[in-house]
Amino acid sequence: METEHYNSQAGQDKFILNVLKNKKNGFFVEIGSQDPININNTYILETKFDWKGIMIEIDQRWLNSYKEKRPDSIHIIQDATKIDYLNLFKNNNVPKNCDYLQIDIEAIDGSTLNALLQFEKVMSEYKFATVTFEHDVYRKNQKKEYEKTCLDTHRISREIFGRYGYIRVFSDVNNFEDWYVHPDL
């Protein structure tokens, strides 16, 4: 199936569809959803490829748009660093082998790393065929106070994904993300 246009910022949706060979009826977990369409990594997956998923966003202002424009997904308006992911996944029958995980929240304040540390509790039970993880390492040169947080997020995230068998296929995409695959899936 040829897509009309991709919606992601750096080609994440194109990466996922290429790796998964335009898979239909997949499942995603999107941590840091923001706008339901614009610069969104899962919009095309849901609307053109019939995927379903869980969209997690801290900002309440997006909820009505999610309900209107992304009705096939579960919408969680909550701080991603405070979610009990194991409970969330079990209560929503998330498949043990998922197709895509996105973690795209603010790395500079430590939220991305804290969300990953919270999320790590499910990684021994759940696997994701593809992952895009925002580390924002480019920000280390913007302000001195960001440097340690961004470098720690960059280093620790790679250790965590490696520990669970993920292979980093693209590093520092646009200097802000790493992209992974899981060889089992």
Side-chain angles (χ1 to χ4, degrees):
M1 171 180 231
E2 189 63 32
T3 58
E4 296 160 16
H5 108 268
Y6 297 99
N7 292 69
S8 63
Q9 182 177 11
Q12 294 92 332
D13 46 7
K14 187 174 184 179
F15 163 70
I16 295 150
L17 289 168
N18 282 330
V19 168
L20 300 179
K21 298 176 176 46
N22 292 332
K23 180 178 182 172
K24 298 285 258 173
N25 301 306
F27 195 91
F28 64 84
V29 175
E30 182 179 39
I31 301 173
S33 300
Q34 282 276 326
D35 189 280
I37 299 173
N38 298 316
I39 308 179
N40 186 284
N41 298 343
T42 62
Y43 176 73
I44 195 169
L45 303 175
E46 184 174 326
T47 60
K48 302 281 186 201
F49 292 87
D50 302 316
W51 286 37
K52 293 184 180 353
I54 296 177
M55 300 171 68
I56 299 168
E57 173 60 43
I58 195 170
D59 192 341
Q60 175 99 19
R61 73 182 161 127
W62 298 110
L63 185 57
N64 287 336
S65 293
Y66 293 157
K67 288 177 181 178
E68 177 187 337
K69 296 176 174 136
R70 305 290 298 277
D72 293 327
S73 290
I74 297 162
H75 316 109
I76 308 293
I77 304 298
Q78 191 174 340
D79 182 341
T81 67
K82 296 181 177 16
I83 292 175
D84 177 344
Y85 288 99
L86 199 52
N87 195 34
L88 175 68
F89 283 18
K90 287 180 180 177
N91 288 340
N92 289 288
N93 299 315
V94 172
K96 294 286 184 175
N97 294 322
C98 291
D99 299 296
Y100 175 49
L101 167 65
Q102 165 196 297
I103 300 179
D104 181 353
I105 53 180
E106 291 304 314
I108 58 174
D109 67 3
S111 293
T112 302
L113 182 56
N114 289 333
L116 179 59
L117 292 171
Q118 187 69 13
F119 191 83
E120 186 180 10
K121 296 171 186 170
V122 303
M123 291 177 81
S124 60
E125 287 189 47
Y126 294 85
K127 291 180 185 172
F128 296 84
T130 57
V131 176
T132 58
F133 180 82
E134 183 169 331
H135 54 59
D136 286 348
V137 75
Y138 74 94
R139 292 184 184 247
K140 71 177 171 53
N141 298 320
Q142 292 180 345
K143 290 191 176 180
K144 193 69 176 161
E145 64 265 25
Y146 298 156
E147 188 162 354
K148 182 173 179 1
T149 303
C150 291
L151 290 174
D152 284 349
T153 299
H154 195 244
R155 177 181 52 79
I156 295 169
S157 65
R158 288 177 173 186
E159 290 171 5
I160 290 171
F161 284 112
R163 183 168 40 244
Y164 291 95
Y166 291 87
I167 296 172
R168 187 169 13 98
V169 292
F170 293 104
S171 301
D172 304 327
V173 176
N174 285 356
N175 226 6
F176 67 81
E177 277 192 345
D178 287 337
W179 296 357
Y180 298 86
V181 297
H182 200 292
D184 292 353
L185 305 179

